[in-house]
Amino acid sequence: MRRRNFFQSHISENWKAHRTVTVSSSLKNGSTKYFDFAVIGSGVAGLRYALEVAKHGTVAVITKAEPHESNTNYAQGGVSAVLCPSDSVESHMQDTIVAGAYLCDEETVRVVCTEGPDRIRELIAMGASFDHGEDGNLHLAREGGHSHHRIVHAADMTGKEIERALLEAVVNDPNIVVFKHHFAIDLLTFQDGSDTVCRGVDTLNIKTQEVVRFISKVTLLASGGAGHIYPSTTNPLVATGDGMAMAHRAQAVICNMEFVQFHPTALADEGLPLKPRKTRENAFLITEAVRGDGGILYNLGMERFMPLYDERAELAPRDVVARSIDDQLKKRNEKYVLLDISHKPREKILSHFPNIASECLQYGIDITQQPIPVVPAAHYMCGGVRAGLQGETNVRGLYVAGEVACTGLHGANRLASNSLLEALVFARRAVQPSIDHMKNSILHLTASDLWTRPVVPLSLRSDVMHKIFSTTKEVRKELQSIMWKYVGIVRSTTRLEAAEQKISELEAKWETYLFEHGWEQTMVALEACEMRNLFCCAKLVLSSALSRQESRGLHYTIDFPHLEESKRLPTVIFPCSLTNRTWSSRQLHQQPIC
């Protein structure tokens, strides 16, 4: 009751003087900062949103590593949008819905396909530079699942170009402050009657090891995906499912987590003539556009196999191609397949795929002359925090955009190059409701006192911390191994149940180890908090997979190999029960360990 009254109380004279918080005043207190808007994540969704809401208030952009280190930066293919007279919104919608195995929300699909072209034009106006053809118009590529050429791109580094343009604008905006190397720990929430309300986020400054609290009227979660629940992923190291886990702990509704997209073609290091000197932090992506441009898949016997699985061959949607490759590898007991584009003109290959050509050349492969060794890798989470058409969640004051969100666009399988598009559209759609919420919200300067502060484990000896981090590293590898072996591209009820048991035991063992070595409920460190989030996301994927008793899109199970029309419904995980005793499922400031 105290919390509810606190936020409904009259504005003190002190607060009136600070009603419009300037950037300079919001930074005065080192451990607590006050902003109108807190944006968690610095990919395309977070930055695009920040630039708009900054016209109406102060904005903190909170990012885990360097601002450019996001999934956006690694997006090679491009952004899909209807920009050609022969194309249509209806055609883009149909392609999206077919790829999504008819689980897409049709209204969401229409909104994104209709508004997408304007979002691209806005990027161009902001200085993003995309490839043009000889006729002076934008060069539109085609990718798997698309019936038209509609992929706007900047060679094979589209995400990097978009990120560059947005970051440049953000840096030059006086109302936006970027907090790099700040790891988001937990959302700050309270109950207002039956409603959960978000009022900011606790973070850990990774460089100074200081806990920094952000109190905000509005929070946008744009923290990306959870690729690192698997051992091989195209995602950067920061993608440990932090946003999805935080939102789940904060009582947000989670949707469709069983639909993990494995990109069919990541560079297979085992097939390279010159091996990388050290293990990669993330798999190197070979864009869908290589197949869109005529690339052909062969097994190691140089047999083209995709026509055996689908009449669309290499242009089939990603879930089909990934399963086909997986089947070939298992049948033939091989480690990778080959993707060949060398039959195309050398100049065309090098102009369209300069980044891929350069990377492969480092390891002894000239893609204009030789096939590329490829293997599937975890790539994109089609599920996430359930969002409405304006990016709103069931938690008041919390909005979501980008991969962390489940808007209903992707259904059971994301169509190539729809992810950047979705992020742009929903980042923009979340702006007006966020501004309205901000203007109607009142924060008290002592709001920060409501929540217990997380603590850095300075009381633990360095040798104890070393043991904890070393054990956590091994546990992380073990969790990833379980996920790949039991919750991968092809699933079964037996394997999913085995994974559930193994993950539950592994988590219990890890938490026991931590707390026996002096760890406390409110203690935070990057490694431990990431592990906590990985456990949370793995369990969300697993419980969703177990509940879907059919094969649809990315979720393929040998026990229910067919699509069931009666089961064409989203998988919904409602707010977690407060009786859950695991550390990964509880907010640090809310529930003590029992």
Side-chain angles (χ1 to χ4, degrees):
M1 185 63 72
R2 173 178 171 266
R3 290 180 175 181
R4 182 162 73 252
N5 292 340
F6 183 90
F7 280 100
Q8 291 174 339
S9 63
H10 295 294
I11 310 171
S12 67
E13 290 303 311
N14 186 35
W15 176 248
K16 283 180 183 175
H18 294 80
R19 183 63 200 267
T20 303
V21 185
T22 63
V23 169
S24 57
S25 69
S26 69
L27 299 175
K28 281 180 181 174
N29 183 341
S31 61
T32 303
K33 304 184 188 301
Y34 294 81
F35 283 85
D36 292 317
F37 304 92
V39 177
I40 304 169
S42 61
V44 61
L47 297 182
R48 189 68 194 89
Y49 173 90
L51 287 166
E52 291 300 320
V53 295
K55 298 168 186 174
H56 302 269
T58 57
V59 186
V61 173
I62 299 158
T63 187
K64 189 169 166 181
E66 291 294 324
H68 66 267
E69 190 65 5
S70 66
N71 275 358
T72 296
N73 208 45
Y74 290 80
Q76 294 177 352
V79 193
S80 59
V82 177
L83 292 161
C84 173
S86 63
D87 198 0
S88 67
V89 167
E90 286 69 28
S91 176
H92 191 182
M93 285 182 63
Q94 182 65 14
D95 291 346
T96 299
I97 290 166
V98 169
Y102 296 90
L103 195 67
C104 309
D105 179 86
E106 191 170 337
E107 190 178 4
T108 302
V109 176
R110 183 171 295 282
V111 160
V112 173
C113 295
T114 302
E115 297 180 9
D118 284 343
R119 303 291 82 87
I120 303 294
R121 293 182 190 106
E122 287 171 357
L123 284 179
I124 293 169
M126 291 171 63
S129 178
F130 299 116
D131 289 2
H132 287 70
E134 292 177 6
D135 59 2
N137 294 320
L138 284 170
H139 181 270
L140 302 176
R142 185 179 172 192
E143 295 182 352
H146 288 274
S147 57
H148 288 76
H149 287 74
R150 63 166 72 100
I151 315 301
V152 180
H153 62 100
D156 57 352
M157 295 173 283
T158 310
K160 187 174 284 190
E161 174 56 19
I162 294 173
E163 186 80 1
R164 180 204 62 74
L166 291 174
L167 266 176
E168 200 170 287
V170 162
V171 168
N172 291 323
D173 193 311
N175 253 14
I176 302 175
V177 183
V178 179
F179 294 88
K180 59 183 181 180
H181 303 294
H182 280 61
F183 171 76
I185 301 164
D186 259 332
L187 296 168
L188 299 170
T189 59
F190 68 95
Q191 289 302 121
D192 180 8
S194 61
D195 290 347
T196 302
V197 184
C198 181
R199 277 290 186 263
V201 63
D202 272 337
T203 71
L204 175 66
N205 183 326
I206 299 165
K207 295 292 186 185
T208 65
Q209 291 298 298
E210 176 192 20
V211 171
V212 182
R213 175 162 284 174
F214 290 85
I215 301 293
S216 61
K217 297 174 183 176
V218 177
T219 303
L220 177 81
L221 200 51
S223 52
H228 283 275
I229 58 175
Y230 291 95
S232 178
T233 175
T234 60
N235 296 181
L237 269 180
V238 294
T240 50
D242 309 321
M244 293 163 183
M246 282 193 298
H248 178 59
R249 291 193 290 265
Q251 308 297 300
V253 175
I254 307 293
C255 216
N256 288 353
M257 287 292 283
E258 70 270 38
F259 300 120
V260 180
Q261 187 171 75
F262 291 86
H263 199 289
T265 56
L267 190 62
D269 289 349
E270 286 181 290
L272 297 172
L274 303 174
K275 300 291 186 283
R277 290 185 189 144
K278 59 179 183 178
T279 305
R280 291 180 196 271
E281 292 176 344
N282 54 300
F284 183 78
L285 179 66
I286 305 298
T287 174
E288 189 105 7
V290 172
R291 283 180 287 121
D293 250 17
I296 296 172
L297 285 163
Y298 297 96
N299 58 33
L300 296 190
M302 290 311 292
E303 299 164 333
R304 185 183 182 188
F305 57 85
M306 275 311 302
L308 302 174
Y309 295 94
D310 194 285
E311 61 184 14
R312 293 164 291 186
E314 283 78 11
L315 290 178
R318 289 177 179 177
D319 59 324
V320 176
V321 180
R323 274 200 303 278
S324 303
I325 293 173
D326 184 69
D327 188 56
Q328 283 287 304
L329 297 180
K330 286 172 178 170
K331 280 180 177 172
R332 297 173 58 86
N333 195 26
E334 292 171 350
K335 300 289 187 184
Y336 56 89
V337 296
L338 300 169
L339 176 60
D340 190 22
I341 190 75
S342 65
H343 51 280
K344 293 290 181 179
R346 176 183 173 84
E347 297 72 25
K348 184 179 179 183
I349 295 170
L350 294 178
S351 66
H352 284 192
F353 311 112
N355 187 39
I356 293 170
S358 171
E359 182 74 13
C360 289
L361 205 55
Q362 284 185 56
Y363 303 108
I365 287 187
D366 178 353
I367 69 169
T368 67
Q369 302 288 325
Q370 299 158 272
I372 309 164
V374 294
V375 68
H379 182 59
Y380 189 88
M381 305 294 290
C382 290
V385 185
R386 188 167 73 177
L389 281 171
Q390 293 183 306
E392 75 276 18
T393 70
N394 63 301
V395 176
R396 275 202 344 245
L398 179 67
Y399 296 81
V400 288
E403 190 175 349
V404 71
C406 182
T407 66
L409 174 70
H410 307 310
N413 176 43
R414 175 173 71 84
L415 180 64
S417 289
N418 266 2
S419 53
L420 292 176
L421 182 74
E422 179 198 40
L424 287 165
V425 169
F426 274 88
R428 194 68 185 78
R429 289 182 72 83
V431 169
Q432 193 54 53
S434 295
I435 293 164
D436 294 342
H437 186 86
M438 184 273 291
K439 288 179 177 175
N440 291 319
S441 294
I442 298 169
L443 290 183
H444 201 286
L445 286 179
T446 55
S448 179
D449 299 337
L450 279 180
W451 298 277
T452 307
R453 279 186 181 269
V455 294
V456 177
L458 300 174
S459 58
L460 300 183
R461 298 195 320 266
S462 60
D463 62 319
V464 172
M465 290 302 294
H466 178 74
K467 283 180 184 175
I468 286 173
F469 291 157
S470 178
T471 298
T472 300
K473 190 176 179 180
E474 292 307 309
V475 167
R476 181 167 168 154
K477 285 180 183 173
E478 194 170 341
L479 174 69
Q480 291 170 334
S481 176
I482 292 168
M483 289 298 289
W484 177 247
K485 185 175 179 181
Y486 297 96
V487 200
I489 296 171
V490 175
R491 300 164 178 174
S492 73
T493 303
T494 304
R495 290 214 298 271
L496 292 174
E497 288 172 347
E500 189 174 46
Q501 179 70 23
K502 287 173 184 293
I503 289 171
S504 176
E505 289 171 0
L506 183 64
E507 183 182 27
K509 183 179 170 185
W510 175 68
E511 287 188 9
T512 300
Y513 184 89
L514 252 63
F515 292 106
E516 282 180 349
H517 282 75
W519 198 266
E520 294 175 9
Q521 160 71 14
T522 56
M523 283 183 175
V524 291
L526 176 66
E527 296 86 345
C529 287
E530 280 190 336
M531 189 68 248
R532 167 177 185 248
N533 293 337
L534 289 167
F535 268 123
C536 185
C537 288
K539 290 186 295 182
L540 290 171
V541 170
L542 193 51
S543 63
S544 296
L546 274 166
S547 69
R548 184 166 293 281
Q549 297 188 340
E550 65 162 350
S551 288
R552 186 180 293 273
L554 297 162
H555 176 72
Y556 183 83
T557 169
I558 58 175
D559 294 314
F560 307 98
H562 303 296
L563 196 143
E564 298 282 344
E565 183 57 26
S566 63
K567 298 181 190 287
R568 186 161 61 90
L569 295 164
T571 306
V572 182
I573 298 175
F574 289 101
C576 58
S577 165
L578 297 181
T579 59
N580 196 311
R581 293 285 179 255
T582 67
W583 192 46
S584 71
S585 302
R586 293 172 173 275
Q587 289 180 310
L588 298 191
H589 60 257
Q590 224 179 35
Q591 301 295 331
I593 287 288
C594 297

